[in-house]
Amino acid sequence: MNLPMLGVINLIHETDDMGGLTANRCLATVPFGGRYRLIDFTLSSMVNSGIPRVAVFAHTKFRSLMDHIGSGTNWDLHRKGNGLFVLPPSMEDQTDFGKGDLYHFYRHRDYFTRSSPFEYVVVSRSHMVSNVDFAQVLEDHRQRGADITVVCKRDPGGFSGLARKVMVNEAGRITDMQDHYGRLSSDIASMEMYVLSKELLLDLVESSLARGQDHFVRQAILSNLDRLTVNAYLHEGWLGIVNNISGYYRHSMELLRPDVWHELFFRSGPIYTKVKDEPPTRYHRSANVSHSLVANGCDIEGTVYNSILFRGVKVHKGAVVRNSIVMQNGIVGENGSLENCILDKEVEIRPLQQLRGAEDLPFLAVKRKVI
């Protein structure tokens, strides 16, 4: 059943500390989990929840985004009436490019005003890897009579990625929220998913812009915490905050745990991605593979342990890949060695090369590099 809710995936000024992994692509299209892109998780959660109309507000380096999501076919969003909309930044001159997300919402306000059957909106980022049931979030939002409901996660162990912490009182109302990523003493972080009525969102857009404020969270929400009822909805499932290298590496490695894998990919519905036809992976007699995720199309002669191999990776005879991530079409030459490494797409490691990073600071090779 469809929800009376619009989906917005907001890529404008998304926090990005991923170094070379986002040199030529936006954060939303960073490869993750052997065959997925980061945006797949938010997009799939919306589709599985029954949200029939989703807009992606693109900002920079979105060629790979257009290539990946296309018309939305793989998410069943290729429809005549609703479906998927990719909205590039709308600018009158170059200075508009640096303006905040509220400005770009305003420039694309037709997307909201022409969506008459939809009473609510969920505004989300792309770097929160999770599987959220937005139908439950909307039900909680309605029952508690909130103006805004923020999906949050409690983690006493701390977060690897950059997250905005919040303070929540006994009634579940948010009383304080970080502007950026400071030292607020709280073990609850915002998942940057905001449910509110479409009417309130449009009011915040126009009233904030009239005051010269153009940032949705920093100005439209934070400055109204005492006036609006902003509640927290605590997500019980797994969460990976992937907007820096340490967060990317840690959360990728966590996917090797079966409980995390099943929690993320099957609990609230499947995760969809762009379908690519590849033959099965070929394991030679000399191959030794254990505790790893290996996508289709790989060719393995060497040893792979506790690692993630994307499509089309070639591991030559005598090579050892340990605690590492090798993205699409990577090559590890004969008798080469990787430990605690991240190789972007189409990286080639020549024979006898040995690369080693640390668990908290993995070695990163950028796209198409030859080492």
Side-chain angles (χ1 to χ4, degrees), residues 29 48 58-59 76 112 119 122 126 147 160 177-178 183 186 188 202 245 248 253 270 287 290 306 336 351 357:
T29 54
N48 292 332
H59 196 216
D76 195 24
F112 301 100
E119 185 180 353
V122 55
S126 72
D147 293 312
S160 291
M177 180 185 293
Q178 286 179 333
R183 298 180 178 178
S186 173
I188 302 176
L202 293 175
I245 294 297
Y248 179 83
M253 291 295 110
S290 60
N306 201 47

Side-chain angles (χ1 to χ4, degrees), residues 335-353:
N335 295 316
S337 173
L338 302 178
E339 184 168 356
N340 300 326
C341 294
I342 301 171
L343 307 188
D344 203 342
K345 292 173 65 174
E346 300 172 10
V347 169
E348 180 179 353
I349 306 300
R350 289 179 171 165
L352 300 174
Q353 283 284 2

Side-chain angles (χ1 to χ4, degrees), residues 174-224:
I174 292 177
T175 57
D176 197 4
M177 180 185 293
Q178 286 179 333
D179 183 7
H180 288 293
Y181 310 101
R183 298 180 178 178
L184 187 65
S185 179
S186 173
D187 60 354
I188 302 176
S190 166
M191 291 174 60
E192 304 294 337
M193 299 171 180
Y194 305 87
V195 172
L196 66 168
S197 69
K198 186 175 68 175
E199 181 182 3
L200 176 58
L201 175 63
L202 293 175
D203 179 66
L204 290 174
V205 169
E206 296 194 5
S207 60
S208 298
L209 290 176
R211 294 193 296 270
Q213 301 173 340
D214 58 2
H215 289 276
F216 176 55
V217 177
R218 183 193 307 165
Q219 293 169 328
I221 294 181
L222 283 179
S223 63
N224 288 298

Side-chain angles (χ1 to χ4, degrees), residues 213-280:
Q213 301 173 340
D214 58 2
H215 289 276
F216 176 55
V217 177
R218 183 193 307 165
Q219 293 169 328
I221 294 181
L222 283 179
S223 63
N224 288 298
L225 276 181
D226 56 343
R227 184 176 69 86
L228 300 174
T229 303
V230 182
N231 287 344
Y233 174 90
L234 290 181
H235 175 59
E236 299 295 334
W238 185 82
L239 169 67
I241 302 175
V242 182
N243 52 12
N244 60 12
I245 294 297
S246 62
Y248 179 83
Y249 182 73
R250 172 188 163 182
H251 295 308
S252 293
M253 291 295 110
E254 286 178 344
L255 296 182
L256 298 176
R257 290 167 39 192
D259 59 323
V260 171
W261 180 265
H262 286 284
E263 163 70 31
L264 178 61
F265 288 94
F266 300 107
R267 183 184 181 191
S268 298
I271 303 298
Y272 305 102
T273 189
K274 181 179 179 181
V275 174
K276 292 183 178 179
D277 297 324
E278 296 275 0

Side-chain angles (χ1 to χ4, degrees), residues 312-316 319 326-334 338 343-351 369 371:
V313 170
K314 169 72 175 176
V315 180
H316 283 274
V326 184
M327 297 187 194
Q328 191 172 338
N329 297 326
I331 299 174
V332 184
E334 191 168 326
L338 302 178
L343 307 188
D344 203 342
K345 292 173 65 174
E346 300 172 10
V347 169
E348 180 179 353
I349 306 300
R350 289 179 171 165
K369 190 168 186 177
I371 301 175

Side-chain angles (χ1 to χ4, degrees), residues 3-302:
L3 291 181
M5 179 186 279
L6 295 170
V8 169
I9 302 179
N10 179 15
L11 309 185
I12 299 169
H13 297 306
E14 191 163 25
T15 302
D16 174 8
D17 194 19
M18 297 284 276
L21 288 182
T22 51
N24 298 298
R25 58 169 77 94
C26 60
L27 181 60
T29 54
V30 169
F32 187 81
R35 60 187 299 235
Y36 301 90
R37 304 292 181 121
L38 291 182
I39 196 173
D40 291 340
F41 298 90
T42 301
L43 201 50
S44 297
S45 292
M46 289 183 176
V47 170
N48 292 332
S49 301
I51 297 175
R53 187 179 178 98
V54 178
V56 180
F57 279 76
H59 196 216
T60 61
K61 295 176 283 188
F62 54 87
R63 185 192 59 79
S64 61
L65 175 74
M66 302 290 289
D67 176 65
H68 181 68
I69 62 179
S71 61
T73 302
N74 294 295
W75 296 267
D76 195 24
L77 286 173
H78 56 302
R79 304 176 185 178
K80 289 183 178 178
N82 295 310
L84 182 67
F85 299 80
V86 179
L87 304 177
S90 178
M91 304 181 294
E92 291 183 348
D93 58 56
Q94 289 298 318
T95 61
D96 291 345
F97 189 75
K99 291 182 178 178
D101 43 11
L102 290 181
Y103 174 79
H104 296 282
F105 289 176
Y106 179 78
R107 297 284 297 179
H108 287 294
R109 58 190 181 281
D110 283 356
Y111 169 72
F112 301 100
T113 56
R114 291 181 180 176
S115 306
S116 55
F118 302 97
E119 185 180 353
Y120 298 95
V121 181
V122 55
V123 181
S124 176
R125 294 293 195 177
S126 72
H127 63 275
M128 295 288 175
V129 178
S130 59
N131 199 338
V132 177
D133 186 346
F134 288 110
Q136 293 183 3
V137 181
L138 180 59
E139 183 179 358
D140 180 87
H141 177 82
R142 285 165 154 172
Q143 287 182 349
R144 297 168 66 190
D147 293 312
I148 301 173
T149 296
V150 185
V151 181
C152 298
K153 176 68 179 177
R154 185 192 298 275
D155 187 355
F159 302 95
S160 291
L162 300 173
R164 191 193 308 269
K165 293 181 181 177
V166 300
M167 295 290 288
V168 181
N169 66 16
E170 293 180 353
R173 181 168 178 172
I174 292 177
T175 57
D176 197 4
M177 180 185 293
Q178 286 179 333
D179 183 7
H180 288 293
Y181 310 101
R183 298 180 178 178
L184 187 65
S185 179
S186 173
D187 60 354
I188 302 176
S190 166
M191 291 174 60
E192 304 294 337
M193 299 171 180
Y194 305 87
V195 172
L196 66 168
S197 69
K198 186 175 68 175
E199 181 182 3
L200 176 58
L201 175 63
L202 293 175
D203 179 66
L204 290 174
V205 169
E206 296 194 5
S207 60
S208 298
L209 290 176
R211 294 193 296 270
Q213 301 173 340
D214 58 2
H215 289 276
F216 176 55
V217 177
R218 183 193 307 165
Q219 293 169 328
I221 294 181
L222 283 179
S223 63
N224 288 298
L225 276 181
D226 56 343
R227 184 176 69 86
L228 300 174
T229 303
V230 182
N231 287 344
Y233 174 90
L234 290 181
H235 175 59
E236 299 295 334
W238 185 82
L239 169 67
I241 302 175
V242 182
N243 52 12
N244 60 12
I245 294 297
S246 62
Y248 179 83
Y249 182 73
R250 172 188 163 182
H251 295 308
S252 293
M253 291 295 110
E254 286 178 344
L255 296 182
L256 298 176
R257 290 167 39 192
D259 59 323
V260 171
W261 180 265
H262 286 284
E263 163 70 31
L264 178 61
F265 288 94
F266 300 107
R267 183 184 181 191
S268 298
I271 303 298
Y272 305 102
T273 189
K274 181 179 179 181
V275 174
K276 292 183 178 179
D277 297 324
E278 296 275 0
T281 286
R282 182 184 183 190
Y283 296 92
H284 295 254
R285 288 183 179 276
S286 58
N288 182 9
V289 180
S290 60
H291 199 246
S292 297
L293 289 177
V294 180
N296 291 351
C298 295
D299 190 333
I300 303 176
E301 297 179 271

